[in-house]
Amino acid sequence: MSKKVIIYGYTTLGSKIANILSDKKYDILVVDFEQSALFQASKDGFKTFESTLLNDNDLIEIGIDKDVDALFCVSYSNKNNLFITLSARNLSKDLKIITISKTKAEANKLEIAGATKVLNPNELGAFRIYRYLSKPLMLRVLDDILFSRSDLNISEIYIEEDSLLKDIYLKDMTVHKDFNILLLGIMDLEISDKFIFNTKRINHKIDDGDVLVVVGKNEDLENFSNYINNK
């Protein structure tokens, strides 16, 4: 039996999530209150449900309190995302709720409301991460993080001018292991936005302005970032 996923908001991000999870055989239901978004979702082959979901009856009708495995709140309305997160959590203690925020303050409110995971652009570029999803390794890692009770998170760590890692080659980097951190790869924004996977063993010299993409527990990620950037 396939897992049922609700995507609230057929936005640019919502459509990408829908297509990715559909390819992995999830049962997708797209919920939106805009006719144009619903038309596009239906055209893309997804089941749709027209609603703002601001009424508990609609949440119950789509099965939030019964057979839904995960809810993605990714609409353009921050208020709606917050309200629905709160209402859905009240209806189901075990539901996985993944939502987005633009600020730390919004992320804190969503976590208090009951979000399982908040994709915060201060910690990871949500749109950039979903571009990475075409890579099998990233897809497996994100699937484990988003659809499990894992306390792991993905983070982008910028290399500062006085970083301990400056001028070290990526293939020689080992300090992350002391912090129980998994290194996925690096981006050199001065050259391009192409992601360099650590598994490719490319001989890339780390420089200030580079961005490490790593996985770990929040505390370990913070300690690692402070350590390598001399904070």
Side-chain angles (χ1 to χ4, degrees), residues 1-5 17-28 46 69 139 143:
M1 184 176 179
S2 60
K3 294 183 178 180
K4 184 175 180 181
V5 174
I17 297 171
N19 281 287
I20 289 163
L21 296 183
S22 178
D23 288 344
K24 298 197 70 182
K25 309 304 181 184
Y26 286 94
D27 180 15
I28 307 296
F46 298 109
D69 290 279
L139 180 56
D143 192 50

Side-chain angles (χ1 to χ4, degrees), residues 6 11 14 26 31 48-49 70 73 75 85 105 119 179 192-193 210-211:
I6 306 295
T11 56
Y26 286 94
V31 180
T48 61
F49 183 83
C73 290
S75 80
T85 296
L119 303 182
F179 291 84
S192 71
D193 62 353
D210 287 356
V211 182

Side-chain angles (χ1 to χ4, degrees), residues 28-92:
I28 307 296
L29 175 65
V30 173
V31 180
D32 207 303
F33 49 88
E34 297 286 352
Q35 285 292 331
S36 58
L38 292 170
F39 175 79
Q40 186 60 53
S42 180
K43 184 179 178 181
D44 292 341
F46 298 109
K47 294 179 291 183
T48 61
F49 183 83
E50 183 178 1
S51 175
T52 61
L53 290 186
L54 299 180
N55 187 316
D56 280 1
N57 290 333
D58 286 349
L59 286 169
I60 292 171
E61 184 175 346
I62 61 175
I64 285 294
D65 61 333
K66 293 180 181 178
D67 58 354
V68 175
D69 290 279
L71 167 67
F72 283 82
C73 290
V74 291
S75 80
Y76 289 129
S77 172
N78 298 327
K79 291 182 179 178
N80 282 17
N81 290 340
L82 177 61
F83 185 85
I84 293 163
T85 296
L86 184 64
S87 299
R89 177 58 68 218
N90 185 52
L91 290 171
S92 175

Side-chain angles (χ1 to χ4, degrees), residues 121-135:
N122 289 331
E123 298 176 355
L124 64 97
F127 288 89
R128 185 183 299 160
I129 284 295
Y130 277 95
R131 290 208 305 270
Y132 296 161
L133 283 173
S134 60
K135 303 292 185 177

